Amino acid sequence: MQVRVRAFARLREAIGGDLTLEVPEGATMSRLLAAVGETSEQAGEALFEESGELRGYVILMHNGRRVRRAEAGTLTLADGDEVALFPPVAGG
């Protein structure tokens, strides 16, 4: 199945823009994030700590809704879903 990945700001630079990735049927968001991290060394470093854990500052969205980090391992994706990745947002 295909899932669209949109990345913003610094994450977009590291990942190289929007992606459409083929993942197995029933894949979780964690599996998709691992696939994104495997696209390049910069993508892996931007998303994951050396321990393999998702970096604490990465904000996850699934079809326009915020996803808590704890849900990433159990959230099952479907064909045509969109996942967005945001760096920390600040401003005034």
Side-chain angles (χ1 to χ4, degrees), residues 3-4 29 60-67 75-84:
V3 178
R4 183 174 183 209
M29 181 173 287
L60 306 171
M61 302 281 288
H62 174 245
N63 293 335
R65 296 185 67 195
R66 179 93 182 249
V67 174
L75 179 72
T76 303
L77 302 173
D79 188 47
D81 278 357
E82 181 178 278
V83 171

mmCIF file of all heavy atoms in Angstrom, residues 3-4 29 60-67 75-84:
data_model
loop_
_atom_site.group_PDB
_atom_site.id
_atom_site.type_symbol
_atom_site.label_atom_id
_atom_site.label_comp_id
_atom_site.label_asym_id
_atom_site.label_seq_id
_atom_site.Cartn_x
_atom_site.Cartn_y
_atom_site.Cartn_z
ATOM 1 N N VAL A 3 1.594 5.226 1.168
ATOM 2 C CA VAL A 3 1.315 6.251 2.166
ATOM 3 C C VAL A 3 2.138 7.484 1.810
ATOM 4 O O VAL A 3 3.341 7.376 1.520
ATOM 5 C CB VAL A 3 1.668 5.758 3.594
ATOM 6 C CG1 VAL A 3 1.423 6.853 4.615
ATOM 7 C CG2 VAL A 3 0.861 4.513 3.943
ATOM 8 N N ARG A 4 1.502 8.627 1.825
ATOM 9 C CA ARG A 4 2.197 9.881 1.525
ATOM 10 C C ARG A 4 2.781 10.443 2.812
ATOM 11 O O ARG A 4 2.107 10.481 3.851
ATOM 12 C CB ARG A 4 1.227 10.892 0.923
ATOM 13 C CG ARG A 4 1.910 12.185 0.539
ATOM 14 C CD ARG A 4 0.971 13.099 -0.190
ATOM 15 N NE ARG A 4 1.695 14.294 -0.588
ATOM 16 C CZ ARG A 4 1.132 15.463 -0.739
ATOM 17 N NH1 ARG A 4 -0.156 15.606 -0.564
ATOM 18 N NH2 ARG A 4 1.849 16.497 -1.093
ATOM 19 N N MET A 29 2.469 3.200 12.044
ATOM 20 C CA MET A 29 3.191 4.448 11.826
ATOM 21 C C MET A 29 4.672 4.267 12.160
ATOM 22 O O MET A 29 5.521 4.819 11.469
ATOM 23 C CB MET A 29 2.595 5.592 12.635
ATOM 24 C CG MET A 29 3.339 6.901 12.371
ATOM 25 S SD MET A 29 2.607 8.356 13.101
ATOM 26 C CE MET A 29 1.186 8.598 12.077
ATOM 27 N N LEU A 60 3.993 14.340 15.143
ATOM 28 C CA LEU A 60 3.395 13.418 14.179
ATOM 29 C C LEU A 60 1.933 13.769 13.929
ATOM 30 O O LEU A 60 1.187 14.045 14.856
ATOM 31 C CB LEU A 60 3.467 11.985 14.705
ATOM 32 C CG LEU A 60 4.844 11.463 15.110
ATOM 33 C CD1 LEU A 60 4.705 10.118 15.811
ATOM 34 C CD2 LEU A 60 5.740 11.354 13.895
ATOM 35 N N MET A 61 1.542 13.704 12.667
ATOM 36 C CA MET A 61 0.147 13.899 12.276
ATOM 37 C C MET A 61 -0.254 12.758 11.348
ATOM 38 O O MET A 61 0.546 12.306 10.531
ATOM 39 C CB MET A 61 -0.037 15.232 11.540
ATOM 40 C CG MET A 61 0.388 16.460 12.304
ATOM 41 S SD MET A 61 -0.796 17.004 13.508
ATOM 42 C CE MET A 61 -2.067 17.664 12.476
ATOM 43 N N HIS A 62 -1.498 12.313 11.479
ATOM 44 C CA HIS A 62 -2.036 11.250 10.621
ATOM 45 C C HIS A 62 -3.371 11.735 10.059
ATOM 46 O O HIS A 62 -4.303 11.966 10.822
ATOM 47 C CB HIS A 62 -2.216 9.963 11.425
ATOM 48 C CG HIS A 62 -2.891 8.865 10.683
ATOM 49 N ND1 HIS A 62 -4.117 8.373 11.061
ATOM 50 C CD2 HIS A 62 -2.521 8.172 9.580
ATOM 51 C CE1 HIS A 62 -4.455 7.418 10.233
ATOM 52 N NE2 HIS A 62 -3.515 7.278 9.319
ATOM 53 N N ASN A 63 -3.417 11.922 8.757
ATOM 54 C CA ASN A 63 -4.639 12.414 8.098
ATOM 55 C C ASN A 63 -5.192 13.667 8.786
ATOM 56 O O ASN A 63 -6.392 13.797 9.014
ATOM 57 C CB ASN A 63 -5.699 11.314 8.033
ATOM 58 C CG ASN A 63 -5.288 10.173 7.126
ATOM 59 O OD1 ASN A 63 -4.493 10.340 6.209
ATOM 60 N ND2 ASN A 63 -5.800 8.992 7.393
ATOM 61 N N GLY A 64 -4.282 14.584 9.147
ATOM 62 C CA GLY A 64 -4.670 15.865 9.721
ATOM 63 C C GLY A 64 -4.908 15.878 11.221
ATOM 64 O O GLY A 64 -5.260 16.910 11.767
ATOM 65 N N ARG A 65 -4.699 14.734 11.884
ATOM 66 C CA ARG A 65 -4.903 14.679 13.339
ATOM 67 C C ARG A 65 -3.594 14.362 14.037
ATOM 68 O O ARG A 65 -2.837 13.506 13.595
ATOM 69 C CB ARG A 65 -5.936 13.614 13.685
ATOM 70 C CG ARG A 65 -7.307 13.963 13.101
ATOM 71 C CD ARG A 65 -8.365 13.014 13.527
ATOM 72 N NE ARG A 65 -8.563 13.184 14.972
ATOM 73 C CZ ARG A 65 -9.207 12.318 15.715
ATOM 74 N NH1 ARG A 65 -9.716 11.238 15.193
ATOM 75 N NH2 ARG A 65 -9.342 12.524 17.001
ATOM 76 N N ARG A 66 -3.367 15.041 15.144
ATOM 77 C CA ARG A 66 -2.137 14.847 15.924
ATOM 78 C C ARG A 66 -2.101 13.428 16.497
ATOM 79 O O ARG A 66 -3.110 12.906 16.955
ATOM 80 C CB ARG A 66 -2.097 15.872 17.059
ATOM 81 C CG ARG A 66 -0.894 15.785 17.966
ATOM 82 C CD ARG A 66 0.199 16.709 17.474
ATOM 83 N NE ARG A 66 1.385 16.606 18.308
ATOM 84 C CZ ARG A 66 1.823 17.566 19.106
ATOM 85 N NH1 ARG A 66 1.178 18.709 19.202
ATOM 86 N NH2 ARG A 66 2.921 17.412 19.803
ATOM 87 N N VAL A 67 -0.919 12.832 16.460
ATOM 88 C CA VAL A 67 -0.720 11.481 16.984
ATOM 89 C C VAL A 67 0.294 11.555 18.113
ATOM 90 O O VAL A 67 1.378 12.130 17.951
ATOM 91 C CB VAL A 67 -0.190 10.534 15.873
ATOM 92 C CG1 VAL A 67 0.145 9.172 16.445
ATOM 93 C CG2 VAL A 67 -1.189 10.428 14.739
ATOM 94 N N LEU A 75 -0.774 2.412 15.761
ATOM 95 C CA LEU A 75 -1.628 3.050 14.761
ATOM 96 C C LEU A 75 -1.402 2.389 13.403
ATOM 97 O O LEU A 75 -0.335 2.517 12.810
ATOM 98 C CB LEU A 75 -1.338 4.546 14.674
ATOM 99 C CG LEU A 75 -2.158 5.299 13.639
ATOM 100 C CD1 LEU A 75 -3.606 5.414 14.104
ATOM 101 C CD2 LEU A 75 -1.576 6.660 13.388
ATOM 102 N N THR A 76 -2.410 1.661 12.934
ATOM 103 C CA THR A 76 -2.308 0.969 11.655
ATOM 104 C C THR A 76 -2.677 1.922 10.525
ATOM 105 O O THR A 76 -3.703 2.606 10.585
ATOM 106 C CB THR A 76 -3.246 -0.259 11.631
ATOM 107 O OG1 THR A 76 -2.904 -1.101 12.730
ATOM 108 C CG2 THR A 76 -3.113 -1.028 10.342
ATOM 109 N N LEU A 77 -1.846 1.950 9.501
ATOM 110 C CA LEU A 77 -2.064 2.820 8.349
ATOM 111 C C LEU A 77 -2.865 2.097 7.273
ATOM 112 O O LEU A 77 -2.908 0.873 7.237
ATOM 113 C CB LEU A 77 -0.721 3.267 7.787
ATOM 114 C CG LEU A 77 0.184 4.017 8.763
ATOM 115 C CD1 LEU A 77 1.556 4.245 8.147
ATOM 116 C CD2 LEU A 77 -0.443 5.338 9.164
ATOM 117 N N ALA A 78 -3.475 2.878 6.390
ATOM 118 C CA ALA A 78 -4.243 2.337 5.268
ATOM 119 C C ALA A 78 -3.726 2.963 3.977
ATOM 120 O O ALA A 78 -3.102 4.026 3.986
ATOM 121 C CB ALA A 78 -5.725 2.642 5.448
ATOM 122 N N ASP A 79 -4.005 2.295 2.883
ATOM 123 C CA ASP A 79 -3.607 2.799 1.577
ATOM 124 C C ASP A 79 -4.166 4.209 1.371
ATOM 125 O O ASP A 79 -5.339 4.462 1.648
ATOM 126 C CB ASP A 79 -4.125 1.864 0.488
ATOM 127 C CG ASP A 79 -3.580 2.226 -0.878
ATOM 128 O OD1 ASP A 79 -2.361 2.444 -1.004
ATOM 129 O OD2 ASP A 79 -4.384 2.289 -1.825
ATOM 130 N N GLY A 80 -3.312 5.133 0.940
ATOM 131 C CA GLY A 80 -3.729 6.501 0.682
ATOM 132 C C GLY A 80 -3.651 7.434 1.873
ATOM 133 O O GLY A 80 -3.934 8.625 1.731
ATOM 134 N N ASP A 81 -3.270 6.931 3.033
ATOM 135 C CA ASP A 81 -3.129 7.792 4.212
ATOM 136 C C ASP A 81 -2.032 8.827 3.993
ATOM 137 O O ASP A 81 -1.133 8.639 3.161
ATOM 138 C CB ASP A 81 -2.784 6.979 5.454
ATOM 139 C CG ASP A 81 -3.996 6.340 6.100
ATOM 140 O OD1 ASP A 81 -5.139 6.561 5.630
ATOM 141 O OD2 ASP A 81 -3.804 5.596 7.084
ATOM 142 N N GLU A 82 -2.103 9.902 4.780
ATOM 143 C CA GLU A 82 -1.067 10.940 4.759
ATOM 144 C C GLU A 82 -0.529 11.117 6.169
ATOM 145 O O GLU A 82 -1.301 11.282 7.114
ATOM 146 C CB GLU A 82 -1.630 12.257 4.252
ATOM 147 C CG GLU A 82 -0.581 13.351 4.200
ATOM 148 C CD GLU A 82 -1.121 14.649 3.641
ATOM 149 O OE1 GLU A 82 -1.190 14.769 2.406
ATOM 150 O OE2 GLU A 82 -1.476 15.514 4.455
ATOM 151 N N VAL A 83 0.778 11.077 6.281
ATOM 152 C CA VAL A 83 1.466 11.309 7.549
ATOM 153 C C VAL A 83 2.298 12.574 7.390
ATOM 154 O O VAL A 83 3.009 12.730 6.391
ATOM 155 C CB VAL A 83 2.347 10.106 7.927
ATOM 156 C CG1 VAL A 83 3.227 10.425 9.123
ATOM 157 C CG2 VAL A 83 1.479 8.882 8.200
ATOM 158 N N ALA A 84 2.189 13.478 8.344
ATOM 159 C CA ALA A 84 2.968 14.722 8.314
ATOM 160 C C ALA A 84 3.924 14.732 9.495
ATOM 161 O O ALA A 84 3.568 14.292 10.587
ATOM 162 C CB ALA A 84 2.047 15.937 8.353
#
